[in-house]
């Protein structure tokens, strides 16, 4: 059963807690998750229909937060395609209001990106992989699209976007289910040569991949190596000044949302 949190609760949600965890096979020493500091420069655009609810996940064996956002002017988003959102290790869907993701979405559409909805659920700190009976990847593959369809979104047109641990998880998801997603956008994914993403990179053939990473990010070298290791050149590989935080990621959200909107819009060829 889903329990709706009020919009006041959504907007007042606080920051995620950083801590030591093993993410994508990397220790916390290597994984420089977002630290307290400047947040993203949020666009001066209104949020549309933005919701945060609690819902039972069989794949994870617990209730999770489910966050959705629709661009302003598109009502409840019925019929819109969906970009699935995979958070990093120090964030949860309760932070998405603070990050201004719904406002970034409206701004992107107003700037010409085809409209789509965002949807993300709590995946814990498991690198979006199964651990015992807790399987956040299965939640994203099976349950999240079903929850979106229940909302009236078009769950036959899906893309995925994630940052840091979530970027690792987004790429891994696309490799686990080749051809299922129309595009993958990964910000500073927590990858390294020899990990599961690198060893499965050939399975990304045919899936458009966008990669962004700051030049002052410790993952830059490995993310650039991944760009070279892909079976096809990424549709976007962008490196600009910035660190491993939303102060940088906020600057590249518009580029990613334009790419995702375009990828979600054309009908898939038979």
């Amino acid at each position: 059963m889903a329990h709706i949190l009020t919009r006041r609760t959504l907007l007042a949600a606080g920051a995620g807690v950083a801590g030591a965890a093993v993410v994508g096979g990397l220790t916390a020493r290597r994984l420089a998750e977002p630290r307290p500091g400047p947040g993203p420069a949020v666009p001066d655009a209104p949020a549309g229909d933005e919701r945060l609810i609690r819902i039972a996940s069989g794949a994870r064996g617990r209730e999770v937060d489910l966050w959705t956002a629709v661009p302003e002017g598109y009502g409840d988003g019925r019929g819109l395609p969906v970009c699935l959102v995979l958070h990093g290790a120090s964030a949860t869907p309760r932070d998405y209001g603070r990050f201004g993701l719904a406002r970034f979405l409206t701004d992107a559409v107003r700037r010409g990106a085809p409209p789509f909805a965002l949807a993300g659920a709590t995946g814990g700190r498991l690198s979006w992989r199964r651990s015992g009976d807790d399987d956040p990847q299965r939640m994203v593959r099976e349950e999240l699209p079903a929850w979106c369809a229940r909302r009236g979104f078009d769950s036959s047109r899906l893309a995925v976007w994630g940052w840091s641990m979530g970027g690792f998880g987004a790429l891994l998801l696309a490799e686990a289910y080749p051809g299922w997603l129309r595009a993958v956008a990964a910000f500073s994914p927590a990858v390294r040569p020899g990990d599961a993403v690198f060893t499965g990179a050939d399975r990304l053939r045919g899936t458009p991949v966008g990669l962004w990473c700051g030049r002052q990010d410790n993952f830059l070298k490995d993310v650039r190596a991944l760009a070279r290791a892909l079976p096809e050149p990424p549709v976007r590989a962008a490196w600009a000044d910035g660190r491993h935080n939303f102060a940088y990621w906020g600057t590249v959200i518009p580029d990613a949302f334009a790419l995702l909107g375009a990828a979600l819009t054309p009908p898939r060829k038979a």
Side-chain angles (χ1 to χ4, degrees), residues 15-89:
V17 178
V22 175
V23 180
L26 303 177
T27 65
R29 180 183 62 81
R30 177 85 185 282
L31 177 58
E33 275 294 323
R35 298 172 180 174
V42 179
D44 184 17
D49 186 334
E50 184 179 15
R51 307 183 192 183
L52 180 69
I53 69 171
R54 294 285 290 173
I55 193 166
S57 167
R60 297 211 59 211
R62 68 194 70 194
E63 283 196 341
V64 297
D65 289 324
L66 170 64
W67 175 89
T68 58
V70 173
E72 174 69 16
Y74 289 84
D76 63 3
R78 184 166 298 274
L80 290 183
V82 187
C83 175
L84 309 175
V85 183
L86 274 58
H87 60 73

Side-chain angles (χ1 to χ4, degrees), residues 7-24:
R7 186 172 182 82
R8 180 182 297 274
T9 301
L10 172 62
L11 296 177
V17 178
V22 175
V23 180

Side-chain angles (χ1 to χ4, degrees), residues 152-163:
F153 300 159
D154 182 359
S155 59
S156 71
R157 293 184 289 157
L158 298 171
V160 67
W161 163 50
W163 57 90

Side-chain angles (χ1 to χ4, degrees), residues 8-269:
R8 180 182 297 274
T9 301
L10 172 62
L11 296 177
V17 178
V22 175
V23 180
L26 303 177
T27 65
R29 180 183 62 81
R30 177 85 185 282
L31 177 58
E33 275 294 323
R35 298 172 180 174
V42 179
D44 184 17
D49 186 334
E50 184 179 15
R51 307 183 192 183
L52 180 69
I53 69 171
R54 294 285 290 173
I55 193 166
S57 167
R60 297 211 59 211
R62 68 194 70 194
E63 283 196 341
V64 297
D65 289 324
L66 170 64
W67 175 89
T68 58
V70 173
E72 174 69 16
Y74 289 84
D76 63 3
R78 184 166 298 274
L80 290 183
V82 187
C83 175
L84 309 175
V85 183
L86 274 58
H87 60 73
S90 68
T92 75
R94 290 174 178 253
D95 295 306
Y96 296 172
R98 178 174 62 87
F99 293 159
L101 301 190
R103 293 168 62 184
F104 274 106
L105 181 61
T106 295
D107 183 67
V109 172
R110 288 183 171 182
R111 291 174 180 271
F116 59 94
L118 295 170
T122 310
R125 309 186 103 194
L126 302 175
S127 299
W128 297 94
R129 294 188 288 187
R130 180 177 180 174
S131 176
D133 294 331
D134 189 349
D135 194 345
Q137 187 183 85
R138 184 164 73 85
M139 176 189 70
V140 176
R141 174 65 176 87
E142 299 177 6
E143 296 177 321
L144 190 48
W147 297 334
C148 288
R150 203 177 303 165
R151 277 287 310 278
F153 300 159
D154 182 359
S155 59
S156 71
R157 293 184 289 157
L158 298 171
V160 67
W161 163 50
W163 57 90
S164 193
M165 181 189 76
F168 174 94
L171 292 160
L172 199 65
L173 181 71
E175 292 175 356
Y177 303 99
W180 178 55
L181 297 162
R182 298 199 173 197
V184 179
F187 292 178
S188 312
V191 297
R192 65 175 178 183
D195 70 10
V197 167
F198 270 85
T199 58
D202 283 349
R203 295 170 67 84
L204 291 170
R205 186 177 301 277
T207 300
V209 175
L211 298 172
W212 292 258
C213 193
R215 291 196 183 103
Q216 289 74 42
D217 192 311
N218 288 339
F219 285 112
L220 178 62
K221 179 179 177 181
D222 294 338
V223 176
R224 296 182 79 162
L226 177 63
R228 295 190 297 270
L230 293 176
E232 301 164 333
V235 293
R236 187 84 82 255
W239 331 117
D241 285 344
R243 300 185 181 279
H244 200 82
N245 55 37
F246 258 96
Y248 163 70
W249 295 329
T251 67
V252 296
I253 286 176
D255 190 28
F257 280 10
L259 184 153
L260 290 165
L264 285 165
T265 298
R268 188 181 295 279
K269 295 180 181 179

